[in-house]
Amino acid sequence: MPQLIPLMVLIPLIAAALTVILGRQPRLQVAISSTALTLTVVISAVQLWLIDLNGPAVVAVGGWAAPWGIALVVDRLSAIMLLISSIMLLGVLIYSIGQGVADRHRETPVSIFHPSYLILSAGVFTTFIAGDLFNLYVGFEVLLASSYVLLTLGGTGERIRAGVTYIIVSLVSSLFFLASIALIYGATGTVNMAQLSVRLAELPADVQLVLHLLLLIGFGIKAAVFPLSFWLPDSYPTAPAPVTAVFAGLLTKVGVYALIRTETVLFAGQDLSALFLVVGSLTMVVGILGALAQADIKRLLSFTLVSHIGYMLFGIGLASTLGLAATIYYVVHHITVQTTLFLTTGLIERIGGATSINRLAGLLKASPLVAILFFIPALNLGGIPPFSGFIGKVGLFAAGVDEPSPLVWVGIAAGAVTSLLTLYALARFWNMAFWRGQSELKGYESVLIESLQEAPEAPHASVAVKTRTVPASMLAVTTGMVALTVALTVFAGPLFGFAERAAENLETPTTYIETVFPGGVQ
């Protein structure tokens, strides 16, 4: 049923318009937003089942066939990204509703939050179904425009400063992307990705390389790839907990998705594996070293977010079916686990009154449930067996062993070290915040917290906040998210099998091309 594809974008956009009209009716806004994102979850689940059964689907918007019209394409990679992102967006929305009711919408004002959040959702979905570079760019700009609003909710000085940095970096990234599109169109006469997969290969090798690198720079900034990741740790932690969670879970993965499309569809014949392996290894190591120096859990998780993007780059760099399959599985794992950890951090902030190791203690006694909710995804992110983080890393390392080279072995070593250091950083936080008694907090000294850095604004800015009640809906959503991270382990076999089928499609771009152009590329 290809007709379902446009609904992934139309439903959130229509719902966003309705929530703007009903700005003075918060209950109706909540009902509309929840219903809209629930529908996207159902539609994406149906699409995934149908596409896995019948193959990729395409819709020609307005009845105009490609390349003259806009093609919306969903293959197995798009389908799994649509499903996991719609689940995350719905879960975070329900979490934010509970937080907003408890705090009287001080941090997430309903009249602003819901339209912006729905437009963000539409932008994310657009990037996953776009069949041409220009509409991929439109999807990026839609989600970025709404993310500017969400990042600065509350209007505090800290959030405005972070928002300015985020906006400038995003504009630079968009300029690279837009310039790439203009040059590619000038060289090939099209922006349709299926058609480009043929026409780009006909260009001189040096021209291909320039166009390829320009796209990689634009997407690399969006994916927070080292050394283009400097902006992320200072931007994400300042936003409200639900906003940070959805940003950390989804926005960088949109960049990773674009990188996968670039390497498997647009420039399938050009090998930049060495670049991906080197940059992936550096992203892993530099990111986790930054995390080790953080006392604030939000900043710590932001640095681990950067470091684990390196695993995905490593998988792309392997340029093999198993490497791509492990990358797809790891992307799904990381979206789920990273979002869950940031939601749990929101609970920690409400219970403990802060997010810094230097200000937290006794949380195990205060809330055993939150201690468990943080502990499970922390082990998962650290790659402890049998969790999905371990399965994903083993899949990536196994793919590397099948494609041995010095750079691959360096990447495997970097991945193993990063995994151990991730576990150490999160275990240190859990030990200080949960296991340490409240009576030990004042004047506590330990080698575990020597040389740790607070947020850059401290001590001039206020770091601690007063404790607040934790609504049952926030706990319920976070518990459900943790259960989903465990489900990725329980159903790892079917999920990895699906990832392998998706990777096989990516390894043979002809499947994508024939879906868009059944009679052959014009």
Side-chain angles (χ1 to χ4, degrees):
M1 296 179 66
Q3 296 80 6
L4 294 175
I5 297 174
L7 294 178
M8 293 297 297
V9 178
L10 288 175
I11 289 174
L13 287 179
I14 293 170
L18 291 175
T19 54
V20 170
I21 295 170
L22 299 171
R24 297 182 181 274
Q25 303 290 331
R27 291 185 178 179
L28 286 177
Q29 281 193 319
V30 167
I32 290 169
S33 300
S34 303
T35 302
L37 291 183
T38 301
L39 286 174
T40 63
V41 172
V42 174
I43 291 170
S44 58
V46 171
Q47 278 189 137
L48 183 140
W49 177 69
L50 290 174
I51 285 164
D52 191 35
L53 192 65
N54 303 319
V58 61
V59 168
V61 177
W64 292 86
W68 314 112
I70 297 171
L72 304 179
V73 188
V74 178
D75 59 3
R76 288 187 175 95
L77 174 61
S78 300
I80 190 65
M81 295 299 291
L82 287 170
L83 178 59
I84 194 64
S85 59
S86 59
I87 292 172
M88 292 300 106
L89 286 163
L90 177 60
V92 173
L93 176 70
I94 298 171
Y95 181 100
S96 67
I97 292 169
Q99 176 177 304
V101 171
D103 296 343
R104 297 183 180 180
H105 306 292
R106 284 190 296 271
E107 293 219 322
T108 53
V110 176
S111 59
I112 302 171
F113 176 78
H114 284 271
S116 302
Y117 192 82
L118 288 165
I119 292 172
L120 176 82
S121 304
V124 170
F125 297 147
T126 299
T127 60
F128 294 145
I129 66 175
D132 62 85
L133 286 180
F134 185 74
N135 280 285
L136 180 63
Y137 171 79
V138 170
F140 273 123
E141 292 309 298
V142 169
L143 71 89
L144 288 173
S146 54
S147 67
Y148 302 153
V149 178
L150 293 170
L151 191 64
T152 55
L153 283 178
T156 64
E158 183 183 20
R159 289 177 184 172
I160 296 297
R161 283 192 297 273
V164 169
T165 302
Y166 180 78
I167 289 170
I168 292 172
V169 171
S170 298
L171 288 175
V172 171
S173 172
S174 296
L175 284 174
F176 271 103
F177 189 13
L178 192 58
S180 303
I181 294 172
L183 292 172
I184 288 172
Y185 183 77
T188 63
T190 185
V191 292
N192 182 278
M193 287 194 276
Q195 201 169 24
L196 284 173
S197 67
V198 175
R199 292 192 179 181
L200 284 171
E202 298 171 349
L203 297 176
D206 55 344
V207 176
Q208 287 188 54
L209 181 60
V210 171
L211 297 176
H212 196 169
L213 290 176
L214 279 173
L215 278 179
L216 293 185
I217 291 172
F219 295 149
I221 295 173
K222 296 179 188 298
V225 170
F226 177 83
L228 307 174
S229 57
F230 61 91
W231 57 273
L232 190 149
D234 290 332
S235 299
Y236 284 9
T238 62
V243 175
T244 305
V246 78
F247 277 27
L250 288 179
L251 296 198
T252 52
K253 309 313 179 302
V254 173
V256 173
Y257 170 84
L259 289 173
I260 294 174
R261 287 292 184 209
T262 301
E263 297 309 301
T264 59
V265 177
L266 299 181
F267 294 96
Q270 192 169 51
D271 185 12
L272 291 184
S273 297
L275 176 63
F276 274 89
L277 292 173
V278 170
V279 173
S281 299
L282 289 173
T283 302
M284 283 188 260
V285 173
V286 174
I288 198 58
L289 290 179
L292 292 175
Q294 306 306 313
D296 186 273
I297 184 59
K298 288 183 179 180
R299 288 181 60 79
L300 188 158
L301 289 175
S302 296
F303 275 101
T304 63
L305 168 60
V306 171
S307 71
H308 285 249
I309 295 295
Y311 287 102
M312 303 166 206
L313 297 179
F314 175 76
I316 296 171
L318 294 174
S320 66
T321 301
L322 181 56
L324 283 173
T327 301
I328 294 168
Y329 180 86
Y330 202 85
V331 168
V332 173
H333 145 80
H334 197 257
I335 288 173
T336 310
V337 172
Q338 198 77 44
T339 303
T340 304
L341 281 169
F342 271 103
L343 292 182
T344 310
T345 299
L347 301 181
I348 291 171
E349 188 173 14
R350 300 182 72 86
I351 295 168
T355 53
S356 171
I357 290 177
N358 299 324
R359 293 170 172 79
L360 291 171
L363 294 184
L364 179 60
K365 183 177 180 180
S367 181
L369 177 58
V370 172
I372 295 171
L373 294 179
F374 183 85
F375 188 69
I376 293 174
L379 291 180
N380 201 336
L381 190 66
I384 294 297
F387 291 112
S388 57
F390 172 78
I391 296 169
K393 291 180 178 71
V394 168
L396 288 168
F397 295 163
V401 171
D402 287 346
E403 306 285 337
S405 74
L407 287 178
V408 169
W409 288 115
V410 169
I412 292 173
V417 170
T418 299
S419 186
L420 292 173
L421 293 179
T422 300
L423 183 62
Y424 166 76
L426 293 173
R428 178 186 62 191
F429 177 82
W430 195 90
N431 184 59
M432 295 293 102
F434 290 94
W435 191 258
R436 177 175 56 170
Q438 185 69 39
S439 60
E440 301 178 68
L441 182 58
K442 189 175 181 180
Y444 187 86
E445 295 182 2
S446 170
V447 294
L448 291 177
I449 56 175
E450 288 179 359
S451 303
L452 294 184
Q453 300 294 318
E454 291 277 13
E457 295 80 8
H460 305 293
S462 175
V463 176
V465 297
K466 67 179 182 178
T467 58
R468 291 165 286 183
T469 58
V470 180
S473 60
M474 294 174 68
L475 284 170
V477 168
T478 309
T479 303
M481 290 292 194
V482 173
L484 183 58
T485 66
V486 175
L488 295 181
T489 302
V490 176
F491 300 102
L495 180 56
F496 207 96
F498 180 90
E500 286 183 321
R501 294 192 294 277
E504 288 169 359
N505 289 155
L506 295 171
E507 282 286 283
T508 53
T510 51
T511 303
Y512 187 94
I513 296 169
E514 290 170 359
T515 300
V516 181
F517 294 98
V521 176
Q522 301 174 20

